[in-house]
Amino acid sequence: RRPPLRPLLAVLILAACAAPVSNGNGGPGEGPTLADCPLFPADHVWNTPIDALPVHARSAAYVETIGASRNMHPDFGAGLWEGAPIGIPYTTVSGDQPLVDVGFYYPTESDPGPYPIPADAPVEGAPPGGVAAGGDRHVLVVDTSACTLYELYDAVLQPDGSWQAGSGAVFDLNGYDLRPAGWTSADAAGLPILPGLVRYEEVAAGAISHALRFTAPQTAAAYVWPARHYASNRTGAEFPPMGTRFRLRADFDATGFSPETQVIVTALKRYGMILADNGSAWYLSGAPDDRWDNSVLRELRQLVGSDFEAVDASGLMLDPESGRARQ
């Protein structure tokens, strides 16, 4: 169990919460950033508020299917779980990072290599300096010189320094291009992973200005914009398609929550979360960081499925092939 939130950090977060809404790294109205790179433009669908959008006609059915009484789970934190950091890690490299070959077992839906992935890139589910025994084994790398995101699924480092992976995707963080229709990415929905993670720096700065990523046990054999891929054979109307956006109900009372959790709650109300993969119910994705206070993050478990509602985000779409959203 980690010690309580340090008083100084609590003061900083409370002060930031009173400031104008921003990305936690840039000024008001800007999109989120990482190492001086945007995590997509401010008017990208990931970074567009959905608190005023209409409730989806199938919202109640979707929530019931995922689990109306199931608790939200913060799938990130400090320390280790079963020997590995808790969450989906990422790393940054500069433009002089050597390129290495990547082989895929879904090559027809993967962006070909080489990729600038270092041999010591963190792998989801792997202990520090070790190899992941199972799980999704995601690898996320940002080239901060080109502002390009590289993501792998089921990645395994090879003895010669190359990588083998299930699938791989490359995203221009300054652009709006989506995956080709029907293509996966490193995520089942064909979406990028990194832009949907809860990151400690944003929470400590007092605001998250983008949608978050979450999983559900049963999804439809369908996807909705901006998703590009599905991973299911279920056709019932009660199953949510990949890409469905949910938000925390505006009347959810977070009185008594810590400043850190309040930042996440506010983001869930304003920007919501996007269904991106099959997995446990209401598992919210984030990056591991030893500065997290796990006892504080557990406050998110007070949220249950019935506190959420699906929204109809179709009105934000300007072009089905683009992530640019109507503002």
Side-chain angles (χ1 to χ4, degrees):
R1 183 186 180 97
R2 291 176 59 82
L5 186 66
R6 292 186 294 276
L8 176 59
L9 178 58
V11 170
L12 290 173
I13 293 176
L14 284 170
C17 287
V21 174
S22 77
N23 55 44
N25 294 303
E30 298 176 3
T33 61
L34 175 65
D36 296 325
C37 285
L39 288 178
F40 296 124
D43 60 346
H44 197 281
V45 62
W46 275 100
N47 305 325
T48 299
I50 49 84
D51 49 336
L53 293 184
V55 176
H56 196 285
R58 296 177 179 170
S59 175
Y62 291 166
V63 168
E64 188 63 33
T65 296
I66 299 173
S69 62
R70 301 285 294 274
N71 301 90
M72 168 163 274
H73 178 84
D75 200 18
F76 58 95
L80 304 177
W81 176 258
E82 296 184 347
I86 307 169
I88 302 177
Y90 65 90
T91 192
T92 60
V93 298
S94 61
D96 59 2
Q97 175 65 40
L99 300 175
V100 296
D101 291 332
V102 183
F104 301 106
Y105 56 80
Y106 295 123
T108 59
E109 294 183 20
S110 295
D111 292 320
Y115 286 27
I117 302 179
D120 62 353
V123 180
E124 180 189 11
V131 178
D136 287 343
R137 294 199 291 253
H138 289 117
V139 170
L140 316 181
V141 176
V142 176
D143 177 346
T144 59
S145 298
C147 291
T148 302
L149 171 63
Y150 298 83
E151 298 189 339
L152 300 179
Y153 160 70
D154 201 17
V156 179
L157 178 65
Q158 303 301 297
D160 63 358
S162 66
W163 291 78
Q164 289 290 321
S167 55
V170 181
F171 298 92
D172 175 7
L173 293 174
N174 284 299
Y176 300 94
D177 288 348
L178 303 179
R179 306 286 287 160
W183 278 34
T184 188
S185 59
D187 220 356
L191 295 168
I193 296 172
L194 180 57
L197 299 182
V198 181
R199 293 183 287 129
Y200 178 85
E201 290 82 1
E202 294 178 301
V203 172
I208 297 172
S209 61
H210 58 83
L212 302 175
R213 173 190 185 271
F214 86 105
T215 63
Q218 297 177 317
T219 57
Y223 59 86
V224 295
W225 179 85
R228 310 296 279 169
H229 184 263
Y230 62 82
S232 172
N233 58 7
R234 299 179 179 90
T235 58
E238 72 273 23
F239 298 107
M242 289 292 186
T244 303
R245 198 142 168 182
F246 290 75
R247 68 183 171 217
L248 186 61
R249 298 168 63 96
D251 59 359
F252 180 82
D253 184 4
T255 301
F257 279 30
S258 70
E260 284 176 305
T261 314
Q262 291 274 6
V263 172
I264 299 172
V265 165
T266 298
L268 288 171
K269 289 184 176 183
R270 181 162 173 75
Y271 294 92
M273 55 188 186
I274 299 177
L275 178 56
D277 200 357
N278 296 311
S280 298
W282 310 113
Y283 265 48
L284 188 68
S285 301
D289 197 303
D290 281 339
R291 293 171 292 180
W292 289 121
D293 186 328
N294 291 342
S295 63
V296 167
L297 292 178
R298 283 192 207 82
E299 293 174 354
L300 292 172
R301 292 183 59 81
Q302 297 179 44
L303 281 62
V304 296
S306 59
D307 294 321
F308 292 90
E309 56 194 8
V311 300
D312 183 353
S314 60
L316 298 180
M317 185 175 67
L318 296 168
D319 179 342
E321 305 302 318
S322 170
R324 191 173 186 179
R326 180 175 286 109
Q327 301 298 301

